[in-house]
Amino acid sequence: MSVPERKQGEDGYLAWLPYRRQETKEGLERCKAYRQIVVAAAAEDGGAVIQSAAAELARGLESLSGLSAAVVNEGEVPESGAYIQLALFSSPAAGMDRLFPAAVRTEIGPEGFTMQTEADTGRIVIAAAAPAGLLYGAFHLLRLFAAGQSVDGLNIQENPVNPLRMINHWDNMDGSIERGYAGKSIFFENNRFKADKQRIRDYARLLASVGINAVSINNVNVHKQETLLITEEFLPDVAEVAAIFREYAVKLFLSVNYAAPVEMGELPTADPLDPAVQAWWQRRTQDVYAAIPDFGGYVVKADSENRPGPFTYGRDHADGANMLAEGLEPYGGIVIWRCFVYNCKQDWRDRKTDRARAAYDHFKPLDGRFKDNVILQVKNGPIDFQVREPISPLLGAMPSTHQVLELQITQEYTGQQRHLCYLVPQWREILDFDTHLKGNGSTVKRIASGELHGSRLAGIAAVSNIGDDANWTGHRLAQANLYGYGRLTWNPELTSSAIAEEWIRLTFGNGSEKLIRTVQQMLLDSWGIYESYTAPLGVGFMVNPDHHYGPNVEGYEYSMWGTYHFADWQGIGVDRTKATGTGYTGQYAGPNFERYESLETCPDELLLFFHHVPYTHKLHSGKTVIQHIYDTHFDGAEQAERLAAQWEALAGSMDEGLHRQVAERLAEQAEHAKEWRDRINTYFYRRCGIADEQGRTIY
Amino acid sequence: MSVPERKQGEDGYLAWLPYRRQETKEGLERCKAYRQIVVAAAAEDGGAVIQSAAAELARGLESLSGLSAAVVNEGEVPESGAYIQLALFSSPAAGMDRLFPAAVRTEIGPEGFTMQTEADTGRIVIAAAAPAGLLYGAFHLLRLFAAGQSVDGLNIQENPVNPLRMINHWDNMDGSIERGYAGKSIFFENNRFKADKQRIRDYARLLASVGINAVSINNVNVHKQETLLITEEFLPDVAEVAAIFREYAVKLFLSVNYAAPVEMGELPTADPLDPAVQAWWQRRTQDVYAAIPDFGGYVVKADSENRPGPFTYGRDHADGANMLAEGLEPYGGIVIWRCFVYNCKQDWRDRKTDRARAAYDHFKPLDGRFKDNVILQVKNGPIDFQVREPISPLLGAMPSTHQVLELQITQEYTGQQRHLCYLVPQWREILDFDTHLKGNGSTVKRIASGELHGSRLAGIAAVSNIGDDANWTGHRLAQANLYGYGRLTWNPELTSSAIAEEWIRLTFGNGSEKLIRTVQQMLLDSWGIYESYTAPLGVGFMVNPDHHYGPNVEGYEYSMWGTYHFADWQGIGVDRTKATGTGYTGQYAGPNFERYESLETCPDELLLFFHHVPYTHKLHSGKTVIQHIYDTHFDGAEQAERLAAQWEALAGSMDEGLHRQVAERLAEQAEHAKEWRDRINTYFYRRCGIADEQGRTIY
């Protein structure tokens, strides 16, 4: 039966799952051939996940082929026919032992899958140890179909590299999203859960399609109303949402208020060593698990940016985290404890305190003190998701403690989804960074995956960039960041370029090679471009206070937030060396310490993060600092204009509405990049009076 | 009959009208002697105002004497007794012709009064041409009693110098106050009028006691709800408030939304030349006067800071103002049209546009074009109520146009009632400024009063500093600004020092000479102190954006608001000269132009407003600019501490609660002054690298 070709997600709602009708005869025939899906799984629990897998395949192939597709009984397919079979290893389906011998099965982890094309029949069998693997396999296969690739002779084994692959939402129950740039919350409005849950279901599909297996749905800054999420008032709603995510193998977590017993007026204290407090959390946690038996656990921001925590009671973070962990332990739940702890009431006159040191100074001494179901969540950099930061020295520095790496998908400091900034290259750099903590090759990706220290719990979490805008992310191209985050978290070896191409083909189809290459290049260039016209050489900030959008060189220079650049008429930068500065460099292992400590070896892009230098200092590039600032800013603004021009050249090769939406954002970016250029250049020219070598206009 | 001594307004609610029990036997006896008030006025209309006058005298003397006082019939006082008589000139009371012969009467204007003590009887007669004069006379007499002065042989003639003596409220109907620092609105809450009107009545008393005769009750930024104040929905409420003010001879005005016909969805345009628009305003105005026959008129902020105006329709401000004036004319109403018009979307890169020029450039060419019931309201300075600005060159520059001077009582840029800043000395400087527009002696006070150009309508308006805080003004000592504004507006020849003493005696009593002299000195020093630790040498701004509190040297440097200082490594200031700058100086009349144009004659305190100079430029004081900045900031912070210490020394000489409240504010000021000192000094030290001659700590 033929299905009409529908408008395939030009408003962006379908994101990378529009499964466009295949453009080539060959591709179309291929999709037509595989329109029957057979489930040979019959798992007792997880049946819903397997059904999701089968339904996704049917839906996808229907869309790709333009003909109806269906999940059918084994009896309904011709014995020799080309169909797709989903089978758990435990299933009695035909040929399982032959296709997936024990040697293969042992290589497939609890969330992995293997996939083979039977040479004689053309049948594709996706097999896994557990339902989630089948779901991931289904999406993997759909990607191949959508990319127009051959599916002959498939022989694939895939396991996610990171056990925890998580999204953190910073959604508030009033519907607002802290650092959200794509509309309101899809979960909450008016201090309640939204009645319509369809959008959550569609979101769960998106997450599962890129391998995300955990989500926390509320802001880590837990305000009054959100404190009640773990109470009878809201647990039925939470359970309903958890059930939706469960069908897509995504575990639900909640951010909790460390001071909840006090905030709710039930106890006079939240002291973690007080037995009444411990009992309170145990009781509350029991309630949570009564409602959601597979609840993931708690995310906690404590003693951070005015949030309450164990410090209030003279306890440390291990005391605090362990107390919560104890309540979760019987149910297999975990505590994700954020390490974003620093003095946010710093006096700018105090040059000794260094915010960059704070996480390491606070947590490193606690290594070994945390219970086995506690994970510390460590931001990628020591400050706060800047366009360029060194790697947090805390990552991997606590061998006896579980850690999860925290990234930020939402573009808080990287253009707020009004500027194009494809972040996968940044994340690749982070993951590939060698900490040297256990000799060469002690990369962050081996720390994140838990491999380096043999951690039981490990992985990556990131702050969501979605909201209730029709296209989820505001800027349509920002969808690539959510997509890329999931893919990279599944497999950190995927290249930025390959991920970009995958996303582009899924989103725009395979029809125009020019479109694919142009958008790919735009994505790959964008982070560098954004960096070039914003804060230079790793110094960070220089944004407007509070909302963090747009240039303001002195916006944080005299604030309490610990983010300074110390620019004067002679030079700029923060001396964080051990020899003469705050000593932050000493938190790095040998080779990294030496590299950052020395002005000679410190990489240019991080120079001002580690050193205070005169404007006339020569970079490795051969340019002076001041000329580098001028050049990158003139160049960056030009490149931003080029992005807009590149996109302009694609008019006609895609839906007009889609083209216009992105074109408008790129035009805003090009204009705003000039504002960045002029404010930064003018600021520094007024600072030092050194003229641009090329005599360009500086105000 | 004796009345108990009550707690006399220590929470500040009674402000300067607590009429404390007299401290000396003599003072007490005097007040006791005059506890009978006789009204011999019998005016048909205005009876309520006369009753207010009599009631105020009775209330005041009761409080001053501690014995009951009363308004009595003429028959009830002994023929030779010492009582107070209120009489209109037209009254048939005994001895009027003898006491107030025609020569005296002709010198008393419609709001003036005369007052005499009859030598033989001791009777004090206050006489006036109209009821308002009796009210002002009553408060004048009470001031004498409260100050413990003799009332023997009084022979006083008083007329207010300024015809319009107005307060502008920037209150919104949601209860918020734009630039309010003393709580919420006393008029509105939750988008309605407040039910309880007692506070409005008490406020009307305060205004009348210092001679205010006009009030506009809503914000000049007229939002959606406030647009409806001139409709049937709210006119009954407005009329009720007008009736309260009427009893105290205060006329009520409303700020109107220039685009009201459009905003209310009744017309597609607000074009002032469109007959439908003219008819709309005539109809609406008719409704207003039907509800409030003595309604004052409209206050309008048009084409200013994103407010709509005639520019939208290609018309000018004369077209706009005259259209409204036409509707008001039949009823004797007036339009008060604000001249605060400038481009608030300026590009900081554009060095030619100068916000300081804007009011003059916009309005000067329109001289003679305005109807006779239009007054242009001109801010004292060309920018916006900074601690130090030159006088607006527009003041007096339109001889054929009525003008009113606008001041700001609320301390938007002068410490927001958390810092002490007695503004009367600033206002005195403004009023005493010689514009030279009609030769020497063409002072602003003669322009404001209407005398210089013989204007029919003239006066002074100012933005209120009150809210629903118990003490009206937040900082108790900020009451002195409201008091001083009224008194100075009545008589611009009163000295800052005399006004301060009046206010202190009324507020704190005459008990402690030390208290009086200390507080007087604190008040008189405070403006200079505030100036010394904030933006230097007239350059202005350097505050945090939006809320305008606290130091931020570059807070407005790259904004759209047109308020720049152009500091670089060599120097600072705005070149507004005709020779090399924006030409703003050319808006001044000869001698002032010359004085400001030349670096040699430009006064130090305005140097950076008019000139861009190197930090090494020598001031008339002999100091360099940079050393001046350092010195004034170190000194200012010290002086702020001294203020706190001076106040501390008064502990025990007043109510403890009152003392503590002010002490807390002064402590905050002292601390905040250090933040100002360090941020300004550090900023400039980092700018130029020139060390402080005295080697004090700069960060």
Side-chain angles (χ1 to χ4, degrees), chain A residues 127-149:
Chain A
L134 299 183
L135 183 62
Y136 298 136
F139 279 115
H140 188 101
L141 180 57
L142 283 168
R143 268 196 298 274
L144 300 181
F145 281 119
Q149 290 184 25

Side-chain angles (χ1 to χ4, degrees), chain A residues 347-351 545 552-555 557-559 565-570 671 674-675 677-679 682-690 699, chain B residues 347-351 545 552-555 557-559 565-570 671 674-675 677-679 682-690 699:
Chain A
D347 188 327
W348 60 270
R349 288 163 285 213
D350 162 19
R351 292 287 276 262
N552 191 337
V553 181
E554 300 235 323
E557 193 54 18
Y558 300 91
S559 74
H565 52 63
F566 303 121
D568 63 18
W569 65 290
Q570 291 174 295
E671 203 49 41
K674 287 184 211 151
E675 182 71 13
R677 172 195 70 194
D678 292 337
R679 286 185 60 167
T682 300
Y683 177 89
F684 283 104
Y685 178 61
R686 288 191 189 171
R687 269 283 175 228
C688 67
I690 300 172
Y699 297 89
Chain B
D347 189 327
W348 60 268
R349 288 164 285 214
D350 162 20
R351 293 285 277 260
N552 190 338
V553 181
E554 300 233 323
E557 193 56 17
Y558 299 91
S559 75
H565 53 63
F566 302 120
D568 64 17
W569 65 289
Q570 290 173 296
E671 202 49 40
K674 286 183 212 154
E675 181 72 13
R677 172 195 70 193
D678 292 336
R679 285 186 59 166
T682 300
Y683 177 90
F684 284 103
Y685 178 61
R686 288 191 189 172
R687 269 281 176 230
C688 66
I690 300 172
Y699 296 90

Side-chain angles (χ1 to χ4, degrees), chain A residues 396-463:
Chain A
M398 301 175 70
S400 309
T401 305
H402 305 314
Q403 287 188 336
V404 59
L405 167 66
E406 179 175 334
L407 303 171
Q408 194 182 46
I409 313 174
T410 192
Q411 293 172 234
E412 178 177 359
Y413 295 99
T414 51
Q416 302 193 354
Q417 285 134 256
R418 294 153 79 176
H419 292 234
L420 179 62
C421 193
Y422 176 59
L423 290 165
V424 177
Q426 186 197 50
W427 299 331
R428 274 294 312 234
E429 277 199 20
I430 292 162
L431 290 165
D432 291 343
F433 181 79
D434 191 346
T435 66
H436 296 285
L437 283 165
K438 285 175 84 172
N440 291 349
S442 304
T443 54
V444 169
K445 61 189 165 198
R446 292 180 62 212
I447 294 161
S449 72
E451 185 227 327
L452 189 75
H453 296 308
S455 312
R456 183 177 75 86
L457 302 174
I460 309 183
V463 187

Side-chain angles (χ1 to χ4, degrees), chain B residues 627-661:
Chain B
Q627 194 57 40
H628 171 91
I629 291 173
Y630 296 153
D631 287 351
T632 51
H633 285 76
F634 282 112
D635 186 53
E638 261 176 46
Q639 301 255 20
E641 281 202 324
R642 192 174 325 148
L643 285 176
Q646 285 172 298
W647 185 258
E648 210 40 56
L650 299 179
S653 64
M654 67 184 77
D655 174 80
E656 195 191 319
L658 192 170
H659 186 268
R660 193 177 332 112
Q661 198 261 350

